[in-house]
Amino acid sequence: AGSSGGHNGLKNIELHLGTSHYKHFKIGISNNKEMDTKDYVLGKFSSLEKGKLSPILELSNEILEGYITMDYDLLMNRYHIKK
């Protein structure tokens, strides 16, 4: 449960589900205050970012498999990482 945080895609999901209580998978983005978030999200990956993408995608596959096979609370405790 939580807020859409202004994200129109999440707002649309909540509208169609009729609730904000659903499981979702989120990969965070940079918290660079010098760049407009919209420009960051819609921009192209830098060479440095491309290099970081492969391990993130591998971990994402592992998490998605766990989503199917594991208890959700256990999954969250194992992978929820805030930096």
Side-chain angles (χ1 to χ4, degrees):
S3 163
S4 64
H7 188 287
N8 289 333
L10 294 179
K11 286 180 186 177
N12 188 264
I13 289 170
E14 292 171 9
L15 174 71
H16 284 85
L17 291 177
T19 182
S20 64
H21 296 273
Y22 57 93
K23 299 173 186 173
H24 64 279
F25 180 70
K26 175 181 169 182
I27 299 175
I29 62 168
S30 173
N31 196 21
N32 183 347
K33 300 295 185 202
E34 296 177 15
M35 180 181 278
D36 184 358
T37 302
K38 173 183 53 113
D39 294 333
Y40 184 83
V41 170
L42 299 176
K44 296 188 182 297
F45 287 110
S46 70
S47 296
L48 179 63
E49 291 167 331
K50 286 179 185 177
K52 293 179 178 181
L53 192 57
S54 182
I56 292 170
L57 293 176
E58 287 178 27
L59 182 59
S60 298
N61 287 335
E62 186 178 311
I63 293 170
L64 288 171
E65 182 177 326
Y67 182 84
I68 296 167
T69 61
M70 293 175 67
D71 173 76
Y72 189 70
D73 289 331
L74 178 62
L75 179 71
M76 287 294 294
N77 288 331
R78 181 176 292 176
Y79 293 106
H80 187 244
I81 302 166
K82 278 197 168 194
K83 292 186 177 182

